[in-house]
Amino acid sequence: MQKEYQTITEISGPLVYAEVDEPVGYDEIVEIETPDGDTRRGQVLESTSDYVAIQVFEGTEGIDRSSSVRFLGGTMQMKLTEDLLGRVLSGTGEPIDGGPEIEPDEERPIVGEAINPYSREYPEEFIQTGVSAIDGMNTLVRGQKLPIFSGSGLPHSDLALQIARQATVPEEEAGEDGDGSEFAVIFGAMGITQEEANEFMDDFERTGALERSVVFMNLADDPAVERTVTPRLALTTAEYLAFEKDYHVLVILTDMTNYCEALREIGAAREEVPGRRGYPGYMYTDLAQLYERAGRIEGEEGSVTQIPILTMPGDDDTHPIPDLTGYITEGQIYVDRDLNSQGIEPPIYVLPSLSRLMDDGIGEGLTRADHADVSDQMYAAYAEGEDLRDLVNIVGREALSERDNKYLDFADDFETAFVQQGFRTNRSIDETLDLGWELLSQLPKEELNRIDEELIEQNYVEEETEAIEAEE
Amino acid sequence: MSQARESDVREDGQIESVSGPVVTAIDLDAKMNDVVYVGHEGLMGEVIEIEGNITTIQVYEETSAVSPGEPVESTGAPLSVDLGPGMLDAIYDGVQRPLDVLEEKMGSAFLDRGVDAPGIDLEKTWEFNPEVTEGDDVSPNDVVGIVPETPSIDHKVMVPPDSEGGEVVDVNSGDYTVEDTVVELDSGEEIKMRQEWPVRSQRPADEKQTPDTPLVSGQRILDGLFPLAKGGTAAIPGPFGSGKTVTQHQLAKWADADIVVYVGCGERGNEMTEVIEDFPELEDPTTGNALMDRTCLIANTSNMPVAARESCVYTGITIAEYFRDMGYDVALMADSTSRWAEAMREISSRLEEMPGEEGYPAYLAARLSEFYERAGYFQNINGTEGSVSVIGAVSPPGGDFSEPVTQNTLRIVKTFWALDADLAERRHFPAINWNESYSLYRDQLDPWFEDNVAADWSEQRQWAIDTLDEEDELQEIVQLVGKDALPEDQQLTLEVARYLREAWLQQDAFHPTDTYCEPEKTYSLLGAIKSFNDEAFEALEAGVPVEEITAVDAIPQLNRVGVQDEWEDYVEELEDEIAEQIGELY
Ligand SMILES: Nc1ncnc2c1ncn2[C@@H]1O[C@H](COP(=O)(O)OP(=O)(O)OP(=O)(O)O)[C@@H](O)[C@H]1O
Ligand SMILES: [Mg+2]
């Protein structure tokens, strides 16, 4: 169905309307050729028997009424092969690394099908990221979607890179994993700056990570609408590598805020009734169609784990972008401005952070028998210390009881010794938990009411208490 | 869902336009809410608007590549569910297609489209044990026989509600499929184990009664402070990560309902998988059988088609009503009703309807109340009594309860469990805020607790409420001057309140023992804190300094009562020990 039309009636923002006399499929791919021979790709947003609305990925600049419109008779596909590993592609999936054309083994529609909930396997394999604030307090597991909630100018990229570099599944390190599933990273950049892009690429090249990665780059000066396809290309590739080629795939998507801005732009151009703060009412569904493409499938070796990154406008987590994301993902990691200015690396704010799949991914045989209790107790103690900080500002330390002072010290040490570790330090889960015990042992034993008594007897560090205090 | 037979398909129309889940067709002879098949692939949809020659359809499957000109067929019947043995232990999508059957038919872990499947297995045979004999007169909803469906549940085969009834002329006993006739009436009507019911209509019942029995949840804060009645309605609003789903799962696991219908509406796939993996291994505390034997799951996750999300709550409540008609107490959890409301909003905006508050359609409030109205403790038309309790999670944007879905829900439901981001952040779980939450059933349920648990149940609860209230006031002062500046008795009250919060209100859903707390244990643990309170104040009056009292070794063990299996002895010994140790101070 390669009929060509020169029937454009309206051009508005990223949208083009054209009259048709033959039926065109919803979501179908379109090519528009401008008078100067440029070809733009787009997608059918609405199809009726006499006109279609087309969303143009590469911008509508230069398109006019005499441009010709071709309907390619199919929906957008991603060309897939294992050889994609090591390649750098544009935000629309074209090679930009000067390498050879992609010779696909197969093509798949980029609007993935939903995983049948009945066919899923519950994620419970611990991924060691080497970051204490994550491994100890907000454990990541294979098949999880765990976003990073950050703000502009914060080092979320360093954290993402650290995770990509250090992530391992401990049992595999020990060579127990006989299935030979390998680890791959898919990196989907949406509207990031050239500088940020360089940072990622340099790190990938320096550490040799590029070989096991596929990079999709849509930069800040690339067309915004293109951003709506970039994560779909990335996730289609991830699913292929995970469920066809048995890879454990880690997908990093950055910056989801730019993706959502693109959605808003299209919605506005279509004159849709907007939802909260001008974002489309269907943004929840749209984001879910991306985030839910993480997971494990019964009987499959591979897995898709997602770490989407978003910068919260105004550091406000009730803004629709973080809010809707938090409602879909399985927890979130907060990168915090205050901790960052205190020089904590990575500046993860543990209290509002959460990994919902942690409970099933930790414990005896997975991480360590004391993990859940230690993490619970540290949360509680840190929260209590945090609370007291406000009070201290008013009444001063002397006015507080000895118990309260211990909690204040704990909160400080928790930040400067546990969360603080540097972007280049890789801590094993044992190191992380032992460090936790060291900190908890500053508190009197009776205060450790969330830890099993037997575990306290085994792990409580009797003398260390003074040693740490003396250090300060 | 119930399937159309070939012969039902009546008129042909043609697609006029496609925009996401909304398709319009011309020349289609269909009624409102009729099920239609759209396009060459026969995607299932439902008529939602008729204007002149144009029929608007919401499609329950993805519409990529569907184009104008493709055919549309109407079945002439509204969206209905199949009701009969085989629904327990099942997992359905939003239009009652069994997900295990879909996996098999599609040969893939991914959901393809254009595949249909009946809601219950049409070929499986069940043991039908008649309850009527030839010559008996039967009317609608009368039980004609029993099928032992699962170890927990006897499925009662009923005369369909829309039947005329009549005299039984033939009865078959033994193994039959759900499509075989098991009872025949003089009118010629053949009664089968399977019946259909349109999801958007309430199944008839005689009369709603005032509920007076609690739906015991095994959760201390719920049973103890904010109990739900069998046949009652509750809402759990809360920001993301505050514990809506965990609370819903806890209720699905431990509530003393006969049947649980769990509707995962527009939420996560992994959460449904968790239920599928966990429930078969968990024991129903009342019957000792596998929990799955009393559970029906409906999973229309956030990435599944939005129109089927809109219908999934109706599918769920219709199944719930069917079991209610058998005389069972059914509990339905809907997680999350906000996603259902958003599905309405999305469809409404594609229809270009006039938007109401925050873009929701003007009929949002009406739809919500129609839905919750289907809950209740009913006198059924067959003379039995049954109940449907509905617990809806609400996911307010930004955690702000002033938004339309929360507000409209609160206008209807009688129990409000307010989740609190602050508590969740401190890992105080369940993060139910005891100052904001309420249950309007409390008074009418007190007699039950007094008869079945302890005569001073309500008195003791009042003490807990008063202490927590007092703590709340004192905390404001502490924020300004610090705890040590308070008089000793107030310091002691704070300490007692801390144990109320940490030992009594907190409950770890993931601890094998603490996850379920019978009302007797809830009462006894509260009693232990109360007797600590009494001993402590006595000592204080006798001149013992507060630091000495609160430093008593045994007191922190109150925090360990929750995790004790043998709690009776533990509490008894602990109370003695606390009394003894405090007694030694003076
Ligand atoms: N009673 C509980 N005991 C222990 N942990 C709990 C409890 N309730 C909640 N949690 C913790 O809080 C996390 C989030 O809870 P949950 O998934 O129920 O949130 P939610 O309100 O449903 O969020 P969302 O709206 O995003 O679905 C859980 O993963 C668990 O770690
Ligand atoms: Mg939830």
Side-chain angles (χ1 to χ4, degrees):
Chain A
M1 213 204 290
Q2 281 268 13
K3 185 159 182 184
E4 212 168 299
Y5 292 93
Q6 286 192 319
T7 50
I8 292 179
T9 54
E10 188 185 332
I11 304 168
S12 141
L15 301 186
V16 166
Y17 295 83
E19 286 174 352
V20 290
D21 52 18
E22 272 178 24
V24 174
Y26 173 72
D27 253 1
E28 213 171 273
I29 286 297
V30 188
E31 268 180 15
I32 300 178
E33 203 174 315
T34 65
D36 18 342
D38 242 18
T39 309
R40 306 286 168 75
R41 281 195 303 169
Q43 191 177 7
V44 174
L45 276 191
E46 186 180 351
S47 177
T48 75
S49 49
D50 40 38
Y51 76 93
V52 296
I54 302 160
Q55 161 188 340
V56 183
F57 301 134
E58 287 119 334
T60 46
E61 217 176 67
I63 299 180
D64 65 3
R65 281 202 183 78
S66 63
S67 302
S68 57
V69 180
R70 271 192 307 274
F71 296 95
L72 303 188
T75 55
M76 187 139 178
Q77 311 275 318
M78 175 70 201
K79 297 183 182 136
L80 296 164
T81 151
E82 212 169 336
D83 298 337
L84 282 168
L85 288 167
R87 301 298 305 270
V88 181
L89 312 173
S90 72
T92 49
E94 304 300 326
I96 50 169
D97 53 2
E101 276 298 296
I102 311 268
E103 283 179 36
D105 285 340
E106 63 175 282
E107 295 195 4
R108 287 191 189 175
I110 66 164
V111 181
E113 291 168 335
I115 301 179
N116 184 333
Y118 179 77
S119 314
R120 280 183 187 267
E121 191 170 323
Y122 196 68
E124 46 199 3
E125 287 168 298
F126 164 62
I127 299 181
Q128 180 175 301
T129 66
V131 178
S132 294
I134 296 178
D135 294 351
M137 311 300 288
N138 298 289
T139 317
L140 175 68
V141 297
R142 267 185 186 161
Q144 184 171 12
K145 38 194 181 292
L146 187 64
I148 297 176
F149 283 13
S150 187
S152 47
L154 294 179
H156 42 262
S157 303
D158 295 311
L159 178 59
L161 279 168
Q162 184 174 22
I163 296 171
R165 221 169 32 232
Q166 297 180 170
T168 54
V169 174
E171 82 194 35
E172 279 170 19
E173 243 175 23
E176 278 168 37
D177 196 23
D179 61 33
S181 292
E182 284 178 70
F183 195 64
V185 175
I186 308 254
F187 181 73
M190 290 155 283
I192 65 171
T193 61
Q194 185 67 54
E195 204 177 318
E196 285 174 288
N198 292 344
E199 209 180 297
F200 276 105
M201 291 314 298
D202 288 349
D203 199 273
F204 273 32
E205 276 161 25
R206 193 175 55 242
T207 58
L210 189 58
E211 268 169 64
R212 51 181 181 120
S213 307
V214 188
V215 175
F216 293 84
M217 280 284 178
N218 165 287
L219 296 182
D221 53 357
D222 287 333
V225 180
E226 194 179 295
R227 277 163 215 159
T228 59
V229 294
T230 308
R232 295 188 161 80
L233 294 167
L235 289 164
T236 307
T237 310
E239 282 169 353
Y240 170 80
L241 289 175
F243 304 127
E244 212 59 55
K245 301 291 173 190
D246 294 347
Y247 282 87
H248 289 298
V249 186
L250 177 67
V251 184
I252 298 175
L253 299 172
T254 186
D255 180 331
M256 289 306 295
T257 302
N258 296 332
Y259 171 84
C260 294
E261 296 304 339
L263 281 189
R264 177 159 73 166
E265 194 178 316
I266 296 163
R270 296 191 66 190
E271 295 175 7
E272 291 165 353
V273 181
R276 240 172 111 236
R277 301 209 207 170
Y279 293 90
Y282 48 78
M283 196 155 89
Y284 174 83
T285 305
D286 190 279
L287 287 173
Q289 279 164 355
L290 300 180
Y291 297 143
E292 277 289 322
R293 289 173 84 173
R296 306 197 51 196
I297 290 176
E298 200 139 348
E300 298 286 350
E301 291 296 343
S303 60
V304 177
T305 308
Q306 276 190 40
I307 303 196
I309 298 174
L310 56 89
T311 45
M312 300 182 279
D315 290 354
D316 172 11
D317 67 358
T318 66
H319 183 283
I321 298 171
D323 188 52
L324 294 179
T325 297
Y327 272 123
I328 303 164
T329 53
E330 286 142 351
Q332 65 282 332
I333 303 289
Y334 279 81
V335 171
D336 183 73
R337 204 169 291 281
D338 282 345
L339 291 175
N340 187 52
S341 51
Q342 287 166 41
I344 309 283
E345 284 184 0
I348 294 175
Y349 189 27
V350 167
L351 291 184
S353 299
L354 170 72
S355 162
R356 304 181 189 215
L357 300 183
M358 175 166 178
D359 301 296
D360 292 287
I362 63 171
E364 194 150 15
L366 298 158
T367 55
R368 238 168 64 171
D370 57 340
H371 192 160
D373 287 2
V374 167
S375 141
D376 264 9
Q377 190 74 58
M378 285 207 283
Y379 258 111
Y382 181 44
E384 182 143 6
E386 261 269 290
D387 269 354
L388 289 166
R389 283 177 178 167
D390 293 336
L391 186 58
V392 159
N393 289 337
I394 304 170
V395 299
R397 271 218 176 206
E398 310 71 48
L400 294 187
S401 66
E402 191 191 344
R403 179 179 181 276
D404 289 352
N405 272 300
K406 288 216 160 97
Y407 276 96
L408 277 168
D409 290 338
F410 178 87
D412 291 344
D413 292 344
F414 180 79
E415 288 168 1
T416 54
F418 188 85
V419 179
Q420 160 68 28
Q421 68 176 79
F423 289 115
R424 308 243 143 229
T425 310
N426 189 353
R427 286 192 194 140
S428 73
I429 183 66
D430 275 325
E431 288 175 278
T432 292
L433 293 177
D434 291 346
L435 190 55
W437 276 107
E438 232 171 82
L439 294 174
L440 286 175
S441 303
Q442 299 176 21
L443 301 172
K445 270 189 194 172
E446 312 78 70
E447 289 290 318
L448 306 186
N449 57 15
R450 301 194 184 213
I451 306 184
D452 190 83
E453 277 155 330
E454 216 167 285
L455 290 170
I456 298 183
E457 288 321 310
Q458 285 165 16
N459 296 286
Y460 191 81
V461 194
E462 299 282 357
E463 271 101 86
E464 214 73 8
T465 319
E466 266 127 70
I468 286 190
E469 273 172 13
E471 251 171 51
E472 284 174 20
Chain B
M1 61 145 305
S2 81
Q3 267 180 308
R5 330 257 140 221
E6 277 309 316
S7 57
D8 298 343
V9 172
R10 298 188 312 181
E11 290 297 331
D12 275 16
Q14 261 191 359
I15 297 180
E16 165 70 14
S17 73
V18 188
S19 163
V22 173
V23 165
T24 61
I26 47 170
D27 301 336
L28 184 70
D29 181 12
K31 304 186 297 294
M32 262 309 258
N33 297 112
D34 275 0
V35 170
V36 296
Y37 290 102
V38 174
H40 296 306
E41 289 178 79
L43 308 183
M44 199 170 112
E46 181 184 353
V47 173
I48 52 172
E49 193 176 86
I50 300 174
E51 220 183 300
N53 190 26
I54 299 195
T55 306
T56 307
I57 298 155
Q58 62 176 2
V59 182
Y60 294 126
E61 305 184 69
E62 281 303 318
T63 53
S64 276
V66 172
S67 61
E70 290 187 36
V72 182
E73 295 171 345
S74 172
T75 62
L79 182 65
S80 302
V81 284
D82 279 326
L83 301 166
M87 295 191 292
L88 298 176
D89 204 356
I91 170 162
Y92 296 121
D93 77 353
V95 287
Q96 210 208 5
R97 296 182 302 180
L99 289 169
D100 52 343
V101 176
L102 292 188
E103 180 190 73
E104 200 180 311
K105 279 192 166 178
M106 293 169 181
S108 157
F110 292 88
L111 290 168
D112 198 354
R113 57 188 197 185
V115 179
D116 222 342
I120 51 180
D121 192 331
L122 302 180
E123 267 131 51
K124 181 170 177 177
T125 58
W126 298 92
E127 182 192 320
F128 178 78
N129 304 296
E131 290 276 289
V132 290
T133 48
E134 283 167 35
D136 285 354
D137 262 328
V138 293
S139 11
N141 275 9
D142 280 357
V143 176
V144 295
I146 286 180
V147 176
E149 184 175 349
T150 68
S152 317
I153 295 297
D154 277 341
H155 193 106
K156 309 206 172 132
V157 178
M158 296 174 291
V159 178
D162 48 5
S163 151
E164 295 282 309
E167 190 188 319
V168 174
V169 293
D170 192 21
V171 179
N172 295 317
S173 165
D175 291 345
Y176 293 96
T177 72
V178 295
E179 297 219 287
D180 292 330
T181 301
V182 285
V183 170
E184 209 180 314
L185 304 185
D186 58 352
S187 61
E189 183 173 349
E190 298 176 338
I191 296 174
K192 306 176 163 110
M193 285 187 262
R194 168 184 168 280
Q195 50 174 277
E196 288 176 21
W197 191 260
V199 298
R200 295 185 199 276
S201 327
Q202 179 167 4
R203 281 175 70 89
D206 253 358
E207 180 176 351
K208 247 193 210 189
Q209 301 182 340
T210 310
D212 56 10
T213 317
L215 184 75
V216 175
S217 65
Q219 310 303 302
R220 288 188 287 271
I221 185 163
L222 304 187
D223 297 337
L225 292 182
F226 312 111
L228 174 62
K230 287 202 171 89
T233 49
I236 321 178
F240 63 78
S242 56
K244 296 180 290 298
T245 304
V246 174
T247 308
Q248 296 269 40
H249 281 188
Q250 287 298 91
L251 287 163
K253 285 176 188 166
W254 311 127
D256 66 340
D258 300 313
I259 304 280
V260 167
V261 179
Y262 192 95
V263 186
C265 175
E267 292 285 313
R268 300 171 185 83
N270 280 332
E271 288 171 351
M272 297 314 293
T273 311
E274 190 182 3
V275 175
I276 302 169
E277 285 183 13
D278 282 358
F279 277 37
E281 319 216 314
L282 293 172
E283 245 180 48
D284 177 344
T286 345
T287 64
N289 295 317
L291 270 182
M292 209 55 204
D293 290 344
R294 64 165 200 186
T295 310
C296 173
L297 296 175
I298 297 167
N300 211 90
T301 56
S302 55
N303 55 339
M304 285 159 75
V306 71
R309 192 196 300 167
E310 193 274 330
S311 65
C312 70
V313 297
Y314 296 104
T315 299
I317 196 124
T318 308
I319 293 174
E321 284 172 344
Y322 175 68
F323 282 106
R324 172 208 71 194
D325 284 345
M326 295 179 203
Y328 287 121
D329 291 314
V330 187
L332 177 138
M333 290 96 208
D335 184 14
S336 160
T337 58
S338 294
R339 306 303 165 217
W340 165 43
E342 285 164 8
M344 274 187 240
R345 176 169 72 182
E346 196 169 328
I347 305 285
S348 159
S349 107
R350 303 246 185 201
L351 294 178
E352 297 181 359
E353 288 172 343
M354 182 72 135
E357 217 182 333
E358 297 197 14
Y360 287 103
Y363 47 77
L364 171 74
R367 292 276 167 89
L368 283 170
S369 62
E370 273 162 30
F371 171 68
Y372 282 105
E373 255 324 291
R374 291 173 73 169
Y377 195 100
F378 289 92
Q379 182 77 43
N380 289 323
I381 52 177
N382 57 14
T384 60
E385 285 180 6
S387 66
V388 175
S389 315
V390 174
I391 302 111
V394 185
S395 316
D400 176 0
F401 289 180
S402 68
E403 58 90 38
V405 182
T406 314
Q407 284 306 313
N408 283 309
T409 304
L410 288 186
R411 238 165 263 150
I412 310 158
V413 301
K414 295 213 161 66
T415 310
F416 173 48
W417 297 324
L419 291 172
D420 185 318
D422 222 48
L423 291 173
E425 207 167 274
R426 273 157 223 267
R427 302 302 194 259
H428 172 111
F429 288 124
I432 296 172
N433 182 311
W434 51 92
N435 292 317
E436 278 179 52
S437 302
Y438 58 79
S439 165
L440 299 182
Y441 299 112
R442 198 143 74 184
D443 295 343
Q444 74 212 54
L445 296 178
D446 272 346
W448 187 94
F449 284 106
E450 282 156 8
D451 289 348
N452 290 277
V453 187
D456 63 344
W457 172 272
S458 53
E459 225 170 283
Q460 212 185 61
R461 179 191 56 219
Q462 196 53 46
W463 169 77
I465 295 173
D466 293 343
T467 310
L468 289 166
D469 280 350
E470 194 175 343
E471 181 198 32
D472 202 40
E473 285 164 26
L474 293 176
Q475 281 298 355
E476 286 176 24
I477 307 173
V478 170
Q479 287 308 313
L480 297 175
V481 296
K483 193 159 131 189
D484 291 352
L486 293 182
E488 292 213 315
D489 60 331
Q490 296 188 344
Q491 289 187 35
L492 191 54
T493 301
L494 284 179
E495 193 67 4
V496 172
R498 186 161 74 90
Y499 283 104
L500 281 178
R501 283 188 285 110
E502 291 181 2
W504 194 56
L505 294 181
Q506 279 193 27
Q507 189 175 350
D508 184 356
F510 302 106
H511 188 282
T513 303
D514 201 22
T515 182
Y516 174 75
C517 186
E518 51 271 54
E520 291 76 12
K521 187 175 173 185
T522 296
Y523 171 79
S524 152
L525 171 51
L526 182 54
I529 301 172
K530 173 92 167 36
S531 71
F532 152 57
N533 172 83
D534 298 347
E535 300 287 344
F537 273 97
E538 217 168 286
L540 193 70
E541 260 158 52
V544 184
V546 70
E547 304 83 59
E548 277 180 39
I549 300 173
T550 56
V552 161
D553 267 2
I555 304 173
Q557 285 180 48
L558 286 169
N559 284 321
R560 311 245 174 222
V561 176
V563 301
Q564 303 303 321
D565 282 320
E566 311 293 332
W567 53 271
E568 288 101 333
D569 294 343
Y570 189 91
V571 170
E572 202 174 310
E573 281 165 30
L574 180 57
E575 282 186 11
D576 290 348
E577 219 174 302
I578 293 178
E580 196 184 303
Q581 293 185 3
I582 294 183
E584 281 164 12
L585 298 174
Y586 61 101

